[in-house]
Amino acid sequence: TLFMDNLSCHHSDMAKAAYSQLKITPIFNAAYSHEMNPIELVFSKVKHLFKKEKLYRIMNKIKVD
C-alpha cells in the first residue's frame, strides 16, 4: 500500500500499470480544501488587514514607500 496525493500523474494509465505490476495498492489523500486548512483562515485575516491599510492610505493620500 502506498499513500499518495492527488497529482494527476499518479492517476495516469502508466502509473496504474506500475501499481499493478509492483502489486501496490495506492491510497489517495482527500482533495485539497482550503476550508479545512487552518492557516487559510490566518491568511484571510492578514489579506483583509493589508487591503484595509491600502485603502486607508489611498483615501488619505498617504505615500507608500
Side-chain angles (χ1 to χ4, degrees):
T1 303
L2 186 61
F3 185 72
M4 303 173 72
D5 61 11
N6 276 304
L7 191 64
S8 62
C9 67
H10 296 162
H11 294 278
S12 70
D13 291 337
M14 184 184 288
K16 289 176 186 176
Y19 303 146
S20 179
Q21 181 181 3
L22 298 170
K23 296 181 173 53
I24 293 173
T25 304
I27 297 176
F28 295 100
N29 194 9
Y32 177 76
S33 173
H34 66 274
E35 293 91 3
M36 302 298 285
N37 191 343
I39 194 65
E40 296 293 347
L41 298 173
V42 174
F43 290 155
S44 175
K45 299 286 185 191
V46 170
K47 286 193 291 188
H48 173 75
L49 291 173
F50 275 109
K51 288 177 182 179
K52 187 176 174 181
E53 176 68 17
K54 184 177 180 180
L55 180 60
Y56 174 81
R57 288 175 177 268
I58 290 170
M59 296 298 290
N60 291 294
K61 298 180 180 163
I62 299 172
K63 196 172 191 178
V64 179
D65 296 332

